[in-house]
Amino acid sequence: MVLCELKQQLDELLALSDGYAYCNQEVGRLACVQGQQEAELTALHTSIEAQNQKLLASTLARVQKEGAIRKGLEQHQQKLVAQDGQAEVLKQQLAASNLARESLSTTVTTALKKLALATSTQAQRVDSVEERLASLVERQRECEVQPPPGWATYLERNAVSLVALAVAVFTLGLNLLG
């Protein structure tokens, strides 16, 4: 009976040791996943910045082009005002320019909405990663607080059982000899 109890306790200690090793393995794996996510996050930030730069450059070029078109249209309008027959053509060009400007404004607004959505999504991913990291740190602390099982711990936990076993063996020896 005592040997069965000792075997059961030894099995429990081995299971605890396996659990501790598993925790350490999971901490390592989660650290690797964290590194990968940080790399993805960095790449995503770089991509967003590149897209922002492209969008700004494109918008600036369109605004400059629109300014040049508007200036040209104003010059043409002044010339056409002097010529009665060509005033209607200028109005049509101006209407087309306004339509193009509205289209450009819509495009820029859509691009800014997409950028805001991407930024929001990125912020959510960052929050998620931070929560996972906090969880991992807490798990690591829990694993570090638990002392690894060893013979000293085993003897300390089972001192009474071991003394009782020694007394029983001694008594059995006396009974056999005497």
Side-chain angles (χ1 to χ4, degrees), residues 120-134:
S120 172
T121 302
Q122 184 62 30
Q124 289 174 353
R125 290 180 78 187
V126 167
D127 291 344
S128 173
V129 167
E130 287 175 354
E131 289 174 8
R132 291 170 98 188
L133 287 175

Side-chain angles (χ1 to χ4, degrees), residues 66-156:
E66 181 182 325
I69 290 172
R70 184 178 296 140
K71 197 173 196 179
L73 285 176
E74 289 173 359
Q75 290 173 353
H76 285 294
Q77 186 178 16
Q78 290 172 358
K79 289 178 185 179
L80 291 177
V81 167
Q83 301 171 356
D84 294 333
Q86 296 180 353
E88 186 63 350
V89 173
L90 181 58
K91 288 180 183 178
Q92 291 174 355
Q93 288 177 349
L94 186 58
S97 174
N98 287 339
L99 194 61
R101 189 175 341 129
E102 288 176 9
S103 175
L104 176 63
S105 176
T106 303
T107 302
V108 168
T109 302
T110 303
L112 289 175
K113 285 180 182 178
K114 286 180 182 178
L115 180 61
L117 179 62
T119 302
S120 172
T121 302
Q122 184 62 30
Q124 289 174 353
R125 290 180 78 187
V126 167
D127 291 344
S128 173
V129 167
E130 287 175 354
E131 289 174 8
R132 291 170 98 188
L133 287 175
S135 174
L136 289 174
V137 167
E138 184 60 32
R139 284 172 131 184
Q140 184 178 7
R141 285 185 188 144
E142 290 175 5
C143 286
E144 289 174 355
V145 167
Q146 295 177 355
W151 283 105
T153 306
Y154 176 76
L155 292 175
E156 183 179 301

